[in-house]
Amino acid sequence: AQSVAQPEDQVNVAEGNPLTVKCTYSVSGNPYLFWYVQYPNRGLQFLLKYITGDNLVKGSYGFEAEFNKSQTSFHLKKPSALVSDSALYFCAVRDSRRGGGADGLTFGKGTHLIIQP
Amino acid sequence: NAGVTQTPKFRVLKTGQSMTLLCAQDMNHEYMYWYRQDPGMGLRLIHYSVGEGTTAKGEVPDGYNVSRLKKQNFLLGLESAAPSQTSVYFCASSYSGQRDGYTFGSGTRLTVV
């Protein structure tokens, strides 16, 4: 089975400071990992993904994420937070061993990111 | 450049009523999904489709049915709505289903009273 955990319901960061939103995963094969952002009353927007290759992945809006296989983690980071980054962030995983490629991503419960001016 | 369009955006149903949620995508994606989002529970997969004419059950399929008669459309039906189906429903589509990210619709907020 594939699963993903976001251990923090909420993360508070002052504007201009670096931010980290944590994500850990569990799969039997290799993971395909994704981050999405959701603004109020909107659908989820794709930020970035890790499939293979470099452990540091760069995405939209200045976000990046670091894949750590030994710690089974895929933390989302940004060097300098903006108030406009305040939103709900979801980590998602798919096990590369699952056949057919179509039975959906498994999402974490989400982390509210609050950037304080 | 519509992407994924969901209709309706809001709906209130009485217990026992039926309704259909429509999802339409214009990106020629093969794979389509229906998720529900509940506070503190993230997104849970209801049903999915790997192509026109196919459907399959996800994590929480009970009380829902789906159809994919045309590649661009994926319908979610509630035959007899229950208060436990009060949720926000999201449709998503993907080109390959394996390595590609999903494109999400803006959601349907359903309340069953």
PDB file of all heavy atoms in Angstrom, chain A residues 10-21 63 78-86 112-117:
ATOM      1  N   GLN A  10      -0.479  22.820  10.692  1.00  0.00           N
ATOM      2  CA  GLN A  10      -0.286  24.236  10.376  1.00  0.00           C
ATOM      3  C   GLN A  10       1.175  24.605  10.599  1.00  0.00           C
ATOM      4  O   GLN A  10       1.819  24.123  11.534  1.00  0.00           O
ATOM      5  CB  GLN A  10      -1.190  25.098  11.279  1.00  0.00           C
ATOM      6  CG  GLN A  10      -1.131  26.591  10.986  1.00  0.00           C
ATOM      7  CD  GLN A  10      -2.212  27.347  11.724  1.00  0.00           C
ATOM      8  OE1 GLN A  10      -3.391  27.043  11.611  1.00  0.00           O
ATOM      9  NE2 GLN A  10      -1.820  28.361  12.489  1.00  0.00           N
ATOM     10  N   VAL A  11       1.672  25.452   9.716  1.00  0.00           N
ATOM     11  CA  VAL A  11       3.023  25.984   9.831  1.00  0.00           C
ATOM     12  C   VAL A  11       2.923  27.502   9.739  1.00  0.00           C
ATOM     13  O   VAL A  11       2.300  28.030   8.818  1.00  0.00           O
ATOM     14  CB  VAL A  11       3.931  25.443   8.716  1.00  0.00           C
ATOM     15  CG1 VAL A  11       5.267  26.171   8.720  1.00  0.00           C
ATOM     16  CG2 VAL A  11       4.137  23.940   8.860  1.00  0.00           C
ATOM     17  N   ASN A  12       3.527  28.173  10.710  1.00  0.00           N
ATOM     18  CA  ASN A  12       3.525  29.639  10.735  1.00  0.00           C
ATOM     19  C   ASN A  12       4.947  30.138  10.493  1.00  0.00           C
ATOM     20  O   ASN A  12       5.883  29.705  11.171  1.00  0.00           O
ATOM     21  CB  ASN A  12       3.028  30.148  12.088  1.00  0.00           C
ATOM     22  CG  ASN A  12       1.573  29.801  12.333  1.00  0.00           C
ATOM     23  OD1 ASN A  12       0.665  30.427  11.810  1.00  0.00           O
ATOM     24  ND2 ASN A  12       1.357  28.758  13.114  1.00  0.00           N
ATOM     25  N   VAL A  13       5.069  31.074   9.563  1.00  0.00           N
ATOM     26  CA  VAL A  13       6.373  31.607   9.207  1.00  0.00           C
ATOM     27  C   VAL A  13       6.246  33.117   9.003  1.00  0.00           C
ATOM     28  O   VAL A  13       5.244  33.587   8.450  1.00  0.00           O
ATOM     29  CB  VAL A  13       6.892  30.950   7.906  1.00  0.00           C
ATOM     30  CG1 VAL A  13       8.224  31.548   7.485  1.00  0.00           C
ATOM     31  CG2 VAL A  13       7.008  29.440   8.084  1.00  0.00           C
ATOM     32  N   ALA A  14       7.233  33.849   9.440  1.00  0.00           N
ATOM     33  CA  ALA A  14       7.252  35.294   9.194  1.00  0.00           C
ATOM     34  C   ALA A  14       7.676  35.559   7.750  1.00  0.00           C
ATOM     35  O   ALA A  14       8.517  34.848   7.186  1.00  0.00           O
ATOM     36  CB  ALA A  14       8.210  35.977  10.162  1.00  0.00           C
ATOM     37  N   GLU A  15       7.080  36.586   7.168  1.00  0.00           N
ATOM     38  CA  GLU A  15       7.431  36.952   5.797  1.00  0.00           C
ATOM     39  C   GLU A  15       8.916  37.212   5.674  1.00  0.00           C
ATOM     40  O   GLU A  15       9.522  37.865   6.532  1.00  0.00           O
ATOM     41  CB  GLU A  15       6.633  38.194   5.372  1.00  0.00           C
ATOM     42  CG  GLU A  15       6.799  38.560   3.905  1.00  0.00           C
ATOM     43  CD  GLU A  15       5.918  39.744   3.494  1.00  0.00           C
ATOM     44  OE1 GLU A  15       5.580  40.557   4.377  1.00  0.00           O
ATOM     45  OE2 GLU A  15       5.571  39.835   2.292  1.00  0.00           O
ATOM     46  N   GLY A  16       9.509  36.678   4.620  1.00  0.00           N
ATOM     47  CA  GLY A  16      10.936  36.867   4.394  1.00  0.00           C
ATOM     48  C   GLY A  16      11.790  35.733   4.951  1.00  0.00           C
ATOM     49  O   GLY A  16      12.956  35.587   4.551  1.00  0.00           O
ATOM     50  N   ASN A  17      11.250  34.964   5.860  1.00  0.00           N
ATOM     51  CA  ASN A  17      11.990  33.829   6.417  1.00  0.00           C
ATOM     52  C   ASN A  17      11.850  32.601   5.529  1.00  0.00           C
ATOM     53  O   ASN A  17      10.883  32.479   4.762  1.00  0.00           O
ATOM     54  CB  ASN A  17      11.478  33.493   7.816  1.00  0.00           C
ATOM     55  CG  ASN A  17      11.979  34.467   8.856  1.00  0.00           C
ATOM     56  OD1 ASN A  17      12.707  35.410   8.537  1.00  0.00           O
ATOM     57  ND2 ASN A  17      11.579  34.279  10.097  1.00  0.00           N
ATOM     58  N   PRO A  18      12.775  31.658   5.638  1.00  0.00           N
ATOM     59  CA  PRO A  18      12.613  30.408   4.881  1.00  0.00           C
ATOM     60  C   PRO A  18      11.488  29.565   5.462  1.00  0.00           C
ATOM     61  O   PRO A  18      11.192  29.639   6.652  1.00  0.00           O
ATOM     62  CB  PRO A  18      13.974  29.721   5.068  1.00  0.00           C
ATOM     63  CG  PRO A  18      14.526  30.305   6.318  1.00  0.00           C
ATOM     64  CD  PRO A  18      14.020  31.709   6.406  1.00  0.00           C
ATOM     65  N   LEU A  19      10.870  28.772   4.603  1.00  0.00           N
ATOM     66  CA  LEU A  19       9.786  27.902   5.062  1.00  0.00           C
ATOM     67  C   LEU A  19      10.047  26.465   4.647  1.00  0.00           C
ATOM     68  O   LEU A  19      10.704  26.195   3.627  1.00  0.00           O
ATOM     69  CB  LEU A  19       8.438  28.373   4.508  1.00  0.00           C
ATOM     70  CG  LEU A  19       8.169  28.234   3.007  1.00  0.00           C
ATOM     71  CD1 LEU A  19       7.592  26.858   2.655  1.00  0.00           C
ATOM     72  CD2 LEU A  19       7.213  29.325   2.540  1.00  0.00           C
ATOM     73  N   THR A  20       9.542  25.557   5.463  1.00  0.00           N
ATOM     74  CA  THR A  20       9.585  24.124   5.166  1.00  0.00           C
ATOM     75  C   THR A  20       8.252  23.514   5.542  1.00  0.00           C
ATOM     76  O   THR A  20       7.752  23.725   6.643  1.00  0.00           O
ATOM     77  CB  THR A  20      10.700  23.409   5.955  1.00  0.00           C
ATOM     78  OG1 THR A  20      11.963  23.955   5.587  1.00  0.00           O
ATOM     79  CG2 THR A  20      10.706  21.911   5.640  1.00  0.00           C
ATOM     80  N   VAL A  21       7.680  22.751   4.622  1.00  0.00           N
ATOM     81  CA  VAL A  21       6.473  21.972   4.880  1.00  0.00           C
ATOM     82  C   VAL A  21       6.856  20.506   4.716  1.00  0.00           C
ATOM     83  O   VAL A  21       7.336  20.104   3.664  1.00  0.00           O
ATOM     84  CB  VAL A  21       5.333  22.353   3.923  1.00  0.00           C
ATOM     85  CG1 VAL A  21       4.075  21.568   4.271  1.00  0.00           C
ATOM     86  CG2 VAL A  21       5.042  23.847   3.995  1.00  0.00           C
ATOM     87  N   PHE A  63       9.171  27.658  -5.271  1.00  0.00           N
ATOM     88  CA  PHE A  63       9.224  26.497  -4.377  1.00  0.00           C
ATOM     89  C   PHE A  63      10.182  25.430  -4.908  1.00  0.00           C
ATOM     90  O   PHE A  63      10.380  25.308  -6.113  1.00  0.00           O
ATOM     91  CB  PHE A  63       7.831  25.882  -4.199  1.00  0.00           C
ATOM     92  CG  PHE A  63       6.942  26.663  -3.278  1.00  0.00           C
ATOM     93  CD1 PHE A  63       6.069  27.615  -3.781  1.00  0.00           C
ATOM     94  CD2 PHE A  63       6.988  26.457  -1.909  1.00  0.00           C
ATOM     95  CE1 PHE A  63       5.255  28.351  -2.934  1.00  0.00           C
ATOM     96  CE2 PHE A  63       6.171  27.179  -1.061  1.00  0.00           C
ATOM     97  CZ  PHE A  63       5.299  28.124  -1.570  1.00  0.00           C
ATOM     98  N   LYS A  78      11.066  26.884   0.612  1.00  0.00           N
ATOM     99  CA  LYS A  78      11.179  28.140  -0.130  1.00  0.00           C
ATOM    100  C   LYS A  78      12.110  29.039   0.669  1.00  0.00           C
ATOM    101  O   LYS A  78      11.951  29.159   1.894  1.00  0.00           O
ATOM    102  CB  LYS A  78       9.820  28.810  -0.324  1.00  0.00           C
ATOM    103  CG  LYS A  78       9.867  30.024  -1.228  1.00  0.00           C
ATOM    104  CD  LYS A  78       8.460  30.537  -1.537  1.00  0.00           C
ATOM    105  CE  LYS A  78       8.549  31.730  -2.491  1.00  0.00           C
ATOM    106  NZ  LYS A  78       7.205  32.278  -2.810  1.00  0.00           N
ATOM    107  N   PRO A  79      13.093  29.672   0.041  1.00  0.00           N
ATOM    108  CA  PRO A  79      14.090  30.447   0.783  1.00  0.00           C
ATOM    109  C   PRO A  79      13.529  31.673   1.492  1.00  0.00           C
ATOM    110  O   PRO A  79      13.999  32.037   2.563  1.00  0.00           O
ATOM    111  CB  PRO A  79      15.090  30.856  -0.304  1.00  0.00           C
ATOM    112  CG  PRO A  79      14.838  29.931  -1.435  1.00  0.00           C
ATOM    113  CD  PRO A  79      13.399  29.579  -1.389  1.00  0.00           C
ATOM    114  N   SER A  80      12.524  32.318   0.889  1.00  0.00           N
ATOM    115  CA  SER A  80      11.993  33.554   1.450  1.00  0.00           C
ATOM    116  C   SER A  80      10.481  33.577   1.251  1.00  0.00           C
ATOM    117  O   SER A  80       9.999  33.695   0.125  1.00  0.00           O
ATOM    118  CB  SER A  80      12.647  34.763   0.774  1.00  0.00           C
ATOM    119  OG  SER A  80      12.126  35.957   1.299  1.00  0.00           O
ATOM    120  N   ALA A  81       9.741  33.477   2.349  1.00  0.00           N
ATOM    121  CA  ALA A  81       8.284  33.345   2.262  1.00  0.00           C
ATOM    122  C   ALA A  81       7.611  34.685   1.952  1.00  0.00           C
ATOM    123  O   ALA A  81       8.070  35.752   2.395  1.00  0.00           O
ATOM    124  CB  ALA A  81       7.728  32.786   3.569  1.00  0.00           C
ATOM    125  N   LEU A  82       6.509  34.584   1.188  1.00  0.00           N
ATOM    126  CA  LEU A  82       5.670  35.743   0.892  1.00  0.00           C
ATOM    127  C   LEU A  82       4.298  35.550   1.530  1.00  0.00           C
ATOM    128  O   LEU A  82       3.828  34.419   1.665  1.00  0.00           O
ATOM    129  CB  LEU A  82       5.488  35.889  -0.626  1.00  0.00           C
ATOM    130  CG  LEU A  82       6.735  36.083  -1.462  1.00  0.00           C
ATOM    131  CD1 LEU A  82       6.383  36.019  -2.951  1.00  0.00           C
ATOM    132  CD2 LEU A  82       7.409  37.407  -1.129  1.00  0.00           C
ATOM    133  N   VAL A  83       3.643  36.649   1.873  1.00  0.00           N
ATOM    134  CA  VAL A  83       2.292  36.549   2.443  1.00  0.00           C
ATOM    135  C   VAL A  83       1.371  35.795   1.483  1.00  0.00           C
ATOM    136  O   VAL A  83       0.509  35.027   1.895  1.00  0.00           O
ATOM    137  CB  VAL A  83       1.733  37.938   2.772  1.00  0.00           C
ATOM    138  CG1 VAL A  83       0.265  37.842   3.185  1.00  0.00           C
ATOM    139  CG2 VAL A  83       2.546  38.601   3.879  1.00  0.00           C
ATOM    140  N   SER A  84       1.593  35.989   0.193  1.00  0.00           N
ATOM    141  CA  SER A  84       0.757  35.346  -0.821  1.00  0.00           C
ATOM    142  C   SER A  84       0.971  33.832  -0.897  1.00  0.00           C
ATOM    143  O   SER A  84       0.211  33.133  -1.576  1.00  0.00           O
ATOM    144  CB  SER A  84       1.017  35.963  -2.201  1.00  0.00           C
ATOM    145  OG  SER A  84       2.378  35.850  -2.534  1.00  0.00           O
ATOM    146  N   ASP A  85       1.979  33.322  -0.202  1.00  0.00           N
ATOM    147  CA  ASP A  85       2.185  31.867  -0.145  1.00  0.00           C
ATOM    148  C   ASP A  85       1.222  31.183   0.816  1.00  0.00           C
ATOM    149  O   ASP A  85       1.142  29.953   0.857  1.00  0.00           O
ATOM    150  CB  ASP A  85       3.619  31.534   0.284  1.00  0.00           C
ATOM    151  CG  ASP A  85       4.648  31.932  -0.741  1.00  0.00           C
ATOM    152  OD1 ASP A  85       4.326  31.926  -1.952  1.00  0.00           O
ATOM    153  OD2 ASP A  85       5.785  32.270  -0.339  1.00  0.00           O
ATOM    154  N   SER A  86       0.520  31.958   1.603  1.00  0.00           N
ATOM    155  CA  SER A  86      -0.430  31.396   2.569  1.00  0.00           C
ATOM    156  C   SER A  86      -1.504  30.612   1.825  1.00  0.00           C
ATOM    157  O   SER A  86      -2.209  31.153   0.966  1.00  0.00           O
ATOM    158  CB  SER A  86      -1.079  32.508   3.386  1.00  0.00           C
ATOM    159  OG  SER A  86      -0.124  33.220   4.144  1.00  0.00           O
ATOM    160  N   HIS A 112      -1.708  23.635   6.506  1.00  0.00           N
ATOM    161  CA  HIS A 112      -2.014  25.056   6.327  1.00  0.00           C
ATOM    162  C   HIS A 112      -0.730  25.849   6.548  1.00  0.00           C
ATOM    163  O   HIS A 112      -0.135  25.785   7.626  1.00  0.00           O
ATOM    164  CB  HIS A 112      -3.075  25.505   7.317  1.00  0.00           C
ATOM    165  CG  HIS A 112      -4.440  24.985   7.012  1.00  0.00           C
ATOM    166  ND1 HIS A 112      -5.301  25.604   6.122  1.00  0.00           N
ATOM    167  CD2 HIS A 112      -5.112  23.903   7.459  1.00  0.00           C
ATOM    168  CE1 HIS A 112      -6.431  24.930   6.049  1.00  0.00           C
ATOM    169  NE2 HIS A 112      -6.346  23.888   6.847  1.00  0.00           N
ATOM    170  N   LEU A 113      -0.322  26.597   5.554  1.00  0.00           N
ATOM    171  CA  LEU A 113       0.844  27.460   5.658  1.00  0.00           C
ATOM    172  C   LEU A 113       0.364  28.888   5.840  1.00  0.00           C
ATOM    173  O   LEU A 113      -0.392  29.403   5.007  1.00  0.00           O
ATOM    174  CB  LEU A 113       1.712  27.347   4.404  1.00  0.00           C
ATOM    175  CG  LEU A 113       2.933  28.250   4.342  1.00  0.00           C
ATOM    176  CD1 LEU A 113       3.913  27.929   5.464  1.00  0.00           C
ATOM    177  CD2 LEU A 113       3.614  28.129   2.984  1.00  0.00           C
ATOM    178  N   ILE A 114       0.792  29.509   6.937  1.00  0.00           N
ATOM    179  CA  ILE A 114       0.383  30.887   7.234  1.00  0.00           C
ATOM    180  C   ILE A 114       1.635  31.733   7.301  1.00  0.00           C
ATOM    181  O   ILE A 114       2.521  31.484   8.132  1.00  0.00           O
ATOM    182  CB  ILE A 114      -0.411  30.956   8.547  1.00  0.00           C
ATOM    183  CG1 ILE A 114      -1.692  30.114   8.416  1.00  0.00           C
ATOM    184  CG2 ILE A 114      -0.744  32.405   8.893  1.00  0.00           C
ATOM    185  CD1 ILE A 114      -2.488  30.022   9.693  1.00  0.00           C
ATOM    186  N   ILE A 115       1.701  32.729   6.434  1.00  0.00           N
ATOM    187  CA  ILE A 115       2.838  33.646   6.380  1.00  0.00           C
ATOM    188  C   ILE A 115       2.396  34.958   7.010  1.00  0.00           C
ATOM    189  O   ILE A 115       1.458  35.607   6.526  1.00  0.00           O
ATOM    190  CB  ILE A 115       3.329  33.872   4.945  1.00  0.00           C
ATOM    191  CG1 ILE A 115       3.549  32.531   4.250  1.00  0.00           C
ATOM    192  CG2 ILE A 115       4.594  34.721   4.955  1.00  0.00           C
ATOM    193  CD1 ILE A 115       4.548  31.624   4.912  1.00  0.00           C
ATOM    194  N   GLN A 116       3.081  35.316   8.062  1.00  0.00           N
ATOM    195  CA  GLN A 116       2.702  36.512   8.811  1.00  0.00           C
ATOM    196  C   GLN A 116       3.533  37.713   8.364  1.00  0.00           C
ATOM    197  O   GLN A 116       4.754  37.613   8.249  1.00  0.00           O
ATOM    198  CB  GLN A 116       2.897  36.246  10.307  1.00  0.00           C
ATOM    199  CG  GLN A 116       1.963  35.159  10.813  1.00  0.00           C
ATOM    200  CD  GLN A 116       2.488  34.417  12.036  1.00  0.00           C
ATOM    201  OE1 GLN A 116       3.701  34.330  12.227  1.00  0.00           O
ATOM    202  NE2 GLN A 116       1.593  33.882  12.833  1.00  0.00           N
ATOM    203  N   PRO A 117       2.850  38.845   8.105  1.00  0.00           N
ATOM    204  CA  PRO A 117       3.571  40.045   7.617  1.00  0.00           C
ATOM    205  C   PRO A 117       4.553  40.580   8.648  1.00  0.00           C
ATOM    206  O   PRO A 117       4.378  40.408   9.846  1.00  0.00           O
ATOM    207  CB  PRO A 117       2.451  41.067   7.377  1.00  0.00           C
ATOM    208  CG  PRO A 117       1.191  40.274   7.361  1.00  0.00           C
ATOM    209  CD  PRO A 117       1.414  39.042   8.173  1.00  0.00           C
TER     210      PRO A 117
END
